[in-house]
Structures are given as C-alpha cells and as structure tokens.
C-alpha cells in the first residue's frame, strides 16, 4: 500500500525551456563541451550544500578566461518550466490522501528559484532538496534521511525519477522506484501511478 510518492524535478515534473547546452558552450571560443563539463563538476559540491554555486561558476569563468558575465552564465539554470499536467496529477493524488513530496538534487541558487520564486513548495506536502539535506541522489543515505523525516516505512513509498542510478539507490533501501521521463508523455506517468493503484 503506497501512502507517499517522491517526485524528482528535472525530467519528471519540469523540462528545459531553452537549449541551455548550446548557450553554455558558446561562452568560450573553443572546446565548449569541456567548459560545460568543468561547470558541471564545479556545481557538484554545492548540490550537497558545500560551497557557493555562484562563486564556483565565477571561478570557472575566470579559469577559462570567458568574457561572459556571471549573471549571464547563471541564466541557463533558470530556463525550466513545470509541466502543468504533472502538477495537476500531483494535486489529484494529494486530494486522494496520498502524500506527495519533491526529492531533487539542486544547489541553493536553483532551489531559491524553484521554492521561493516559483512556488514549488505549494505543490507538495514536503520538499527535499539535496543542498538542504547535505546528501544527494543516488546515495542511499539521501533516501534514508527522507524516510526518517516522513516517519513511514520504505515499503509504503514510491519514488519516480528519470535517472536509472537514482532509482537503483532508492530501491537499495527498500523503496518502490520507477524510471519515468517527461519526454515519454504525461499519459505514461498516469499509467505508472495506476499500476500502483494510486489513481
């Protein structure tokens, strides 16, 4: 009997609105892919609340001698939008008494946009951002931390994510977990929830 569902953010409830990859690779004259890889590596500590993401991006820009301003470099992290049909599904589940929670890896800069500017907290019973927990998926400790807060058994929780390794991490601590990608359509998510008799 599932009493709570954990939803990942990127690729599950929200998608990019602009081609951020092309934008980021344009910030240096050559070897844009390596530059973006450097940015992604620099972001990792802030995903678990260590270091400042803005400072990390500024350091990468300096290292690559990029002429782009820090604010312009940060802009691609704002290029996302939630899928209204998924938000409606979450509201439907909550109306049926199913606890719905956000479980996402984010640094504090993006967390503020999601939670404070765009009101994601209103859609969920609780939100679990990796930067707040000091733990990130797929670490099993991330999921154990959430279970400790919710005070419910792992067997009563369904976790939905577009990343196979995150799903494996959830399953390793006893959660029901399924791979779902928003690109496959909201009907696929509806069908998944019906498999667990949640709708």
């Amino acid at each position: 009997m599932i009493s709570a569902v954990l939803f990942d953010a990127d690729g599950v409830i929200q998608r990019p609105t602009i081609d951020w990859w092309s934008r980021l690779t344009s910030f240096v004259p050559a070897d844009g892919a390596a530059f973006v890889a450097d940015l992604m590596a620099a972001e990792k500590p802030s995903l678990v609340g260590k270091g400042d993401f803005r400072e990390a991006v500024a350091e990468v820009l300096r290292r690559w001698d990029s002429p782009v301003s820090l604010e312009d470099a940060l802009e691609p992290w704002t290029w996302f939008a939630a899928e209204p049909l998924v938000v409606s599904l979450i509201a439907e589940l909550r109306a049926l008494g199913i606890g719905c929670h956000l479980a996402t890896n984010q640094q504090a800069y993006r967390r503020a946009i999601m939670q404070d500017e765009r009101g994601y907290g209103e859609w969920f019973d609780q939100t679990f951002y990796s930067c707040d927990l000091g733990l990130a998926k797929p670490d099993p400790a991330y999921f154990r931390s959430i279970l400790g807060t919710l005070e419910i058994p792992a067997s009563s929780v369904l976790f939905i994510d577009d990343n196979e390794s995150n799903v494996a991490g959830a399953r390793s601590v006893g959660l029901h977990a399924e791979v779902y990608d928003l690109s496959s359509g909201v009907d696929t998510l509806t069908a998944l929830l019906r498999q667990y008799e949640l709708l």
Side-chain angles (χ1 to χ4, degrees):
M1 185 74 177
I2 301 297
S3 62
V5 183
L6 305 179
F7 290 88
D8 175 42
D10 296 294
V12 174
I13 67 168
Q14 66 190 26
R15 57 166 63 92
T17 53
I18 299 177
D19 183 358
W20 59 270
W21 174 267
S22 295
R23 176 66 170 162
L24 289 177
T25 55
S26 74
F27 290 167
V28 292
D31 208 1
F35 170 74
V36 174
D38 200 3
L39 277 174
M40 297 301 109
E43 181 186 32
K44 283 187 177 180
S46 60
L47 291 176
V48 292
K50 297 178 180 178
D52 183 279
F53 176 62
R54 293 173 61 93
E55 291 178 2
V57 172
E59 174 56 32
V60 173
L61 293 173
R62 284 193 294 270
R63 189 157 58 240
W64 284 80
D65 197 23
S66 173
V68 175
S69 72
L70 176 59
E71 294 309 314
D72 284 346
L74 291 169
E75 192 177 14
W77 275 267
T78 72
W79 293 344
F80 64 91
E83 168 54 57
L85 292 176
V86 175
V87 177
S88 294
L89 270 181
I90 292 167
E92 186 177 346
L93 289 174
R94 293 181 73 193
L96 293 170
I98 304 298
C100 292
H101 313 283
L102 181 65
T104 180
N105 287 352
Q106 304 290 343
Q107 22 77 3
Y109 175 78
R110 204 155 185 252
R111 176 204 184 281
I113 296 169
M114 294 169 64
Q115 191 80 358
D116 304 329
E117 294 181 18
R118 303 191 186 178
Y120 276 42
E122 297 172 8
W123 306 338
F124 296 94
D125 294 287
Q126 295 193 61
T127 54
F128 299 100
Y129 292 89
S130 60
C131 61
D132 295 333
L133 297 183
L135 298 161
K137 299 176 290 186
D139 186 346
Y142 172 88
F143 300 101
R144 292 193 192 99
S145 177
I146 293 175
L147 290 172
T149 298
L150 297 179
E151 297 184 328
I152 55 178
S155 59
S156 66
V157 179
L158 171 63
F159 170 64
I160 300 172
D161 198 292
D162 63 329
N163 185 296
E164 290 272 7
S165 63
N166 293 341
V167 166
R171 287 176 177 166
S172 75
V173 297
L175 278 74
H176 298 275
E178 301 289 345
V179 175
Y180 165 75
D181 194 301
L182 189 52
S183 64
S184 67
V186 179
D187 286 347
T188 302
L189 177 58
T190 301
L192 189 160
L193 295 169
R194 284 179 176 154
Q195 287 176 18
Y196 283 88
E197 300 180 348
L198 294 172
L199 292 174

